[in-house]
Amino acid sequence: MRAFLLGTLLSTAAFAPSAMAEGIFGGGNTLDPAFCKQHTVRQTVVYIDDSILVAGNTEWARTIYAKLRATLTPGERTTLVELSPTTGGSTEMWSGCWPAYTPAQSAKLASETHIFSANPLNSIGEQQGYFFHDFGVAAQKIEQKAARPASAVMIDPASPPSKSVLRALVSDGARYAHTRETVRAILYSDLAENSDLGSVFKPLPAAPVDYGAQLGTYLRRSVFYVFGLGSDIHGQGALQDTTRHFWDNALRSMNATVASFGSDLGVPNILPVREAAYDVTLQDAGQTLPGHLSLLADADGTLVDSWIGITRLRNATLNGVYRCNGPADALNCMLNATSSGGVVTMSPSENVHLAGRDGQSLKGHIGVPGSNVNLALTANPATD
């Protein structure tokens, strides 16, 4: 019964497949791979830590489903990966692209006449049903294999089991080396690292560990949303703070950015429609440091999954607005944002301001409000 419930959870949550999805000459009840050919601004990878799955509890799947449905962009590749911290490995379970069209694409399709096949707009509901059906089947396989009674999942901090979420995550590191898009990583895990690499159940070392250099893996261009933190640990208390510090340092050292840590999934319901990527240079005490700026914004200019990184310093996510106004051939763009963590300082946040002509250099500064730290920043359209 447990496997049946999860298997039907995502397959019936969306539109049920029907023969209406097929054109005059057929088509079949499957997800159309043509959506993967669309230009996309982001990809999403969903990690499920198989060591924390409790038999009969599928709330994690419902939570992920709701966020994906609300935030996936047309053609966005979505991949489900099982993390196995007890062995330090990972397994890709499924991958597919979100069946949807941009407003411009929809308008074009609506104006066309389709004689020998159905208008693709007519099958979007069914295609999205196939997407979540396939995702749900893959999630069911993880749950069916790994879920245990709650008593077997709970961790006693005085005698925690050996497991490495870090090594399991790093085993999927090739994904980040081969992409030029931002990777939105949704991670369902307790983050209860307890291995030769480090432990959240012990005092943290005085000097932060550089896991990027130690493991030779960098999770570049990623924005992590973690939920399930401490969900299976008895009397977690201050342990959550230690876990946050351990993982904030670990992910930053591997060039990842962290958008949200918590028991709940903090993915904002924002749908990006505009993208911009810049190579940046920072002027600091006579030095010129290179870096990268990636911006995704919704129709109102609100940033989501946006980040800035400076080589030899740090990465951080950005919150704020990025807007371009004016005539189409002379757009003026402005970025007003706050980082979620220090990039050039150890401050909890910094302000980033840039302005200039679209397609040309943006100039401005990065600094700490109320201090004398205000460094010149220049952004040029990315060349890669």
Side-chain angles (χ1 to χ4, degrees), residues 53-248:
L53 298 184
V54 176
N57 180 4
T58 58
E59 188 58 32
W60 57 272
R62 295 178 185 275
T63 298
I64 293 169
Y65 161 78
K67 285 299 182 182
L68 291 181
R69 172 161 282 281
T71 62
L72 285 175
T73 60
E76 182 169 345
R77 178 166 290 282
T78 306
T79 304
L80 178 64
V81 176
E82 177 183 4
L83 294 186
S84 301
T86 55
T87 63
S90 63
T91 305
E92 182 174 310
M93 301 297 292
W94 174 82
S95 188
C97 299
W98 179 236
Y101 297 106
T102 65
Q105 290 170 330
S106 296
K108 183 177 184 296
L109 288 169
S111 68
E112 296 175 347
T113 301
H114 298 261
I115 299 176
F116 298 108
S117 64
N119 190 318
L121 290 176
N122 297 337
S123 64
I124 284 296
E126 287 84 359
Q127 281 291 315
Q128 292 179 355
Y130 305 148
F131 178 97
F132 280 117
H133 170 270
D134 295 350
F135 183 94
V137 168
Q140 174 188 336
K141 290 179 180 178
I142 301 174
E143 193 266 355
Q144 190 173 17
K145 178 179 67 174
R148 297 174 292 161
S151 59
V153 173
M154 293 301 294
I155 294 174
D156 179 358
S159 56
S162 296
K163 65 179 188 177
S164 181
V165 182
L166 183 57
R167 189 169 273 116
L169 187 61
V170 165
S171 72
D172 192 50
R175 181 181 314 280
Y176 302 87
H178 299 138
T179 182
R180 295 301 178 190
E181 300 174 310
T182 287
V183 179
R184 177 178 62 169
I186 296 174
L187 170 58
Y188 177 56
S189 175
D190 58 4
L191 297 185
E193 183 76 18
N194 187 38
S195 71
D196 59 304
L197 297 175
S199 177
V200 300
F201 300 98
K202 301 175 182 178
L204 300 183
V209 177
D210 187 343
Y211 287 105
Q214 181 175 332
L215 298 173
T217 301
Y218 294 92
L219 310 178
R220 294 183 175 92
R221 301 178 181 271
S222 63
V223 178
F224 273 77
Y225 294 88
V226 184
F227 76 114
L229 183 65
S231 59
D232 58 351
I233 301 175
H234 286 295
Q236 44 190 299
L239 185 60
Q240 276 209 10
D241 293 333
T242 302
T243 303
R244 289 173 190 271
H245 286 303
F246 177 96
W247 278 95
D248 185 63

